[in-house]
Amino acid sequence: MQTDKYVLYEVLQCGDVEKLINADEPLLYYVTIEETFDVIKRAHIATGHGGRDRMIKELQRKYANITTKALELFKSQCEECQKKRKRPMTKGVVMRPILGKELASRGQVDLIDMQSVPYSNFKWIMVYQDHLTKFCILRPLQTKRAAEVAFQLVDIFLLMGAPAAL
Ligand SMILES: [Zn+2]
């Protein structure tokens, strides 16, 4: 039984260009080195920046000699695809806020400097924020001395409970 498969090469005249084809069904074109880049690029765009396998599917119906390696190389060098791939990677670098598990488990205190626009003797606004709920309590301060801050803090703690971490 004859099982050898041999390729039927033919030259196809396209206008004034001659193209080497595999004349078996389906008819496949041989791509020159110079054409390879454009052919792959077209397939890559046509598949919506598709990956190797989608490009193979697109190309194997028309071309005889586009290698998987060339497709992988093109895909790895495509600027659009690199941008897309980088986005999830940077996600890991972004700092994730520490979240307390319950109300008043974490509290944060800041002072807003109002010295340039004092209200009678009050020159500071103390901001206490619950980390989980973002619930905010404001207190006016005359100074930022520890005793005054502590006095207001104790008042807030009595209102909503003392946090495990401040
Ligand atoms: Zn791409």
Side-chain angles (χ1 to χ4, degrees):
M1 199 164 73
Q2 188 78 357
T3 55
D4 285 350
K5 200 182 170 206
Y6 43 89
V7 178
L8 179 62
Y9 293 108
E10 267 180 34
V11 174
L12 192 74
Q13 192 78 31
C14 302
D16 51 357
V17 187
E18 291 180 330
K19 289 190 168 172
L20 180 66
I21 59 166
N22 175 351
D24 285 331
E25 285 297 319
L27 189 146
L28 296 174
Y29 291 92
Y30 283 86
V31 184
T32 63
I33 291 284
E34 291 81 8
E35 292 166 329
T36 304
F37 180 85
D38 287 329
V39 167
I40 295 179
K41 186 175 177 182
R42 242 179 284 136
H44 187 57
I45 304 288
T47 54
H49 285 271
R52 184 195 65 193
D53 294 341
R54 278 172 67 194
M55 285 193 281
I56 290 175
K57 233 178 153 190
E58 176 84 9
L59 289 168
Q60 70 186 4
R61 290 183 285 127
K62 239 181 129 181
Y63 300 102
N65 63 334
I66 303 281
T67 63
T68 336
K69 229 176 178 171
L71 294 176
E72 281 169 353
L73 184 67
F74 187 94
K75 171 86 181 167
S76 72
Q77 297 300 316
C78 172
E79 264 181 53
E80 285 283 316
C81 289
Q82 280 182 343
K83 267 188 234 160
K84 261 186 246 167
R85 234 185 327 151
K86 261 177 195 161
R87 243 173 260 149
M89 275 167 69
T90 50
K91 245 183 207 167
V93 182
V94 171
M95 282 212 290
R96 235 179 261 157
I98 309 156
L99 281 180
K101 285 187 184 65
E102 52 192 48
L103 176 75
S105 76
R106 271 171 184 276
Q108 184 175 325
V109 184
D110 278 309
L111 291 180
I112 301 173
D113 188 346
M114 302 296 285
Q115 288 177 104
S116 56
V117 277
Y119 183 81
S120 71
N121 287 330
F122 295 99
K123 293 169 190 153
W124 303 84
I125 297 173
M126 188 179 102
V127 184
Y128 178 88
Q129 187 174 42
D130 179 67
H131 224 286
L132 177 68
T133 59
K134 307 296 175 206
F135 184 73
C136 229
I137 297 171
L138 304 179
R139 288 295 155 90
L141 297 181
Q142 296 185 15
T143 67
K144 55 174 184 173
R145 287 201 344 261
E148 196 176 345
V149 172
F151 178 82
Q152 295 295 346
L153 272 182
V154 168
D155 196 54
I156 292 169
F157 293 166
L158 291 172
L159 182 74
M160 59 183 293
L166 182 65

